[in-house]
Amino acid sequence: MKAATYVSAGELHLTDKEKPKILQGTDAVVRLLKTTICGTDLHILGGDVPACKPGTTLGHEGIGIVEAVGDAVTNFKVGDKVIISCVTACNTCYYCKKGLPSHCQTGGWILGHLIEGTQAEYVHIPHADGSLYHAPESVDDEALLMLSDILPTSYEIGVLPSHVKPGDTVCIVGSGPIGLAALLTVQFYSPATIIMVDLSAQRLKAAKRFGATHTIASGDVTEIKAFIDEVTNGRGVDIVMECVGYPQTFDICQNVVAIGGHISNVGVHGKPVSFNLDDLWIKNITLNTGLVNANTTDMLLNVLKSGKIDASQLVTHHFNLSDVEAAYDVFKHADQHQALKVVITNDITPT
């Protein structure tokens, strides 16, 4: 089969690999229909995730058709259309039972990280019963694809732990796909003000369409703080979400959070950040971070079924798997191409 393979820092190629097989009774093999590129994949290519070794097929998101199942799989059969979760969960280990399948002792975030990923014709899925979801025909495929990662990640790591209340003031730093997904899901709780911060005017235009009340195109902490002070009468924001993963964007968050406020770190950081505890300790702020557990996927699927949000609006570009290198180039230069989510269709495998 063909697979998008991490070759070395900054280099990815479509290469030939063996088609995956069932190795354990709990496994499944899925033929990909559609996959996508995540900002985390760019972090891997940039060398920020050393646990991912050269030669690995990238990708941890996808929808597809079950090609084969092990004899211990009970919830899925050959021919089922499925959503592939970015988190592999055995549902039986210590961490899964604690509600932390992101740290599953034989799973977690392993697809496209520690094992072969989804940017390929086929993917091997360990613990299929805990890692796949039935894909309803009533929801658009591209919307379903957003359930693999960015919707549960933004909701579980950004929105839920922030305890957003009606009338709150929220700032989201980063108007890329994950930040826009946070913008969609934070509106479940009716905040009064949602401020989006980004360098890209094009992405901020999308944020306005998705429900932002205010936007600022800047990377300057002083300028951003002055803007937010004006919007909030000098108080700062109740909740600020970091959705980029750089020291500069984290610094924005700790400078605009209000007394008694909440910082949610959603971005993947490849470098240490300066944490101004000497300034923040007295402000009664709360900070959370973490890796998505994907335990809200069923709930979010119900939201998509209801039509309350249209996740397919996050998609701007389409490529075939045979052109995956071009897809990466567009996603890497997203502002230049006005790109949000890039969908990659498996055009190689016969249906």
Side-chain angles (χ1 to χ4, degrees):
M1 70 169 186
K2 298 288 187 181
T5 303
Y6 168 44
V7 177
S8 61
E11 189 175 1
L12 175 134
H13 294 302
L14 192 66
T15 66
D16 290 310
K17 291 191 174 182
E18 286 191 21
K19 179 181 172 182
K21 300 176 181 177
I22 299 296
L23 302 176
Q24 304 286 338
T26 51
D27 293 350
V29 172
V30 176
R31 171 172 58 83
L32 269 297
L33 295 174
K34 296 181 185 295
T35 183
T36 184
I37 304 171
C38 180
T40 306
D41 298 323
L42 295 186
H43 277 284
I44 290 172
L45 283 178
D48 293 340
V49 188
C52 184
K53 304 303 181 186
T56 303
T57 301
L58 295 190
H60 49 266
E61 303 161 87
I63 57 172
I65 305 296
V66 175
E67 179 91 356
V69 294
D71 57 14
V73 175
T74 60
N75 292 331
F76 301 93
K77 64 183 184 304
V78 172
D80 283 350
K81 185 177 179 181
V82 293
I83 303 161
I84 300 167
S85 175
C86 63
V87 170
T88 299
C90 74
N91 288 339
T92 59
C93 74
Y94 174 81
Y95 291 110
C96 283
K97 288 183 176 180
K98 282 192 73 173
L100 292 168
S102 59
H103 296 277
C104 174
Q105 291 171 282
T106 53
W109 172 43
I110 55 176
L111 287 174
H113 176 209
L114 305 180
I115 66 172
E116 304 284 57
T118 58
Q119 292 168 11
E121 293 180 69
Y122 298 90
V123 63
H124 168 253
I125 303 294
H127 305 306
D129 281 336
S131 310
L132 299 175
Y133 295 83
H134 289 283
E137 294 296 338
S138 60
V139 181
D140 180 81
D141 281 356
E142 294 181 357
L144 293 174
L145 187 55
M146 301 304 107
L147 287 172
S148 287
D149 184 356
I150 65 170
L151 281 177
T153 294
S154 66
Y155 184 63
E156 293 175 23
I157 307 302
V159 177
L160 270 184
S162 297
H163 304 290
V164 185
K165 303 180 299 300
D168 274 349
T169 300
V170 175
C171 175
I172 299 173
V173 180
S175 193
I178 196 71
L180 292 174
L183 171 58
L184 289 175
T185 55
V186 77
Q187 291 176 74
F188 295 164
Y189 299 97
S190 302
T193 304
I194 307 175
I195 305 165
M196 298 293 291
V197 179
D198 202 277
L199 295 175
S200 167
Q202 290 296 330
R203 288 188 166 187
L204 292 174
K205 285 182 182 178
K208 277 284 193 178
R209 293 198 309 271
F210 292 4
T213 60
H214 300 75
T215 63
I216 177 170
S218 176
D220 183 86
V221 175
T222 302
E223 183 180 7
I224 294 166
K225 187 176 188 308
F227 177 82
I228 288 176
D229 281 346
E230 184 177 350
V231 172
T232 63
N233 295 318
R235 287 191 294 269
V237 292
D238 300 308
I239 293 107
V240 57
M241 303 182 202
E242 199 288 331
C243 294
V244 185
Y246 290 107
Q248 300 93 322
T249 47
F250 183 82
D251 194 42
I252 292 168
C253 295
Q254 59 185 344
N255 275 279
V256 303
V257 68
I259 290 172
H262 197 117
I263 300 173
S264 285
N265 185 90
V266 187
V268 176
H269 287 267
K271 296 178 181 178
V273 302
S274 294
F275 182 47
N276 300 334
L277 190 58
D278 53 333
D279 293 327
L280 295 173
W281 73 270
I282 202 169
K283 293 179 70 174
N284 293 69
I285 67 118
T286 303
L287 169 70
N288 73 273
T289 186
L291 183 61
V292 64
N293 288 296
N295 48 23
T296 64
T297 303
D298 277 325
M299 182 277 289
L300 291 167
L301 178 56
N302 285 334
V303 173
L304 295 190
K305 287 179 183 177
S306 75
K308 296 290 185 183
I309 61 173
D310 176 14
S312 63
Q313 65 186 314
L314 292 163
V315 177
T316 57
H317 288 67
H318 299 82
F319 288 89
N320 288 326
L321 180 60
S322 55
D323 297 319
V324 68
E325 293 172 42
Y328 265 88
D329 185 65
V330 166
F331 193 66
K332 184 177 180 180
H333 302 97
D335 191 36
Q336 178 184 335
H337 296 279
Q338 300 179 29
L340 295 175
K341 259 319 210 185
V342 171
V343 169
I344 299 168
T345 299
N346 179 7
D347 63 322
I348 302 173
T349 311
T351 56

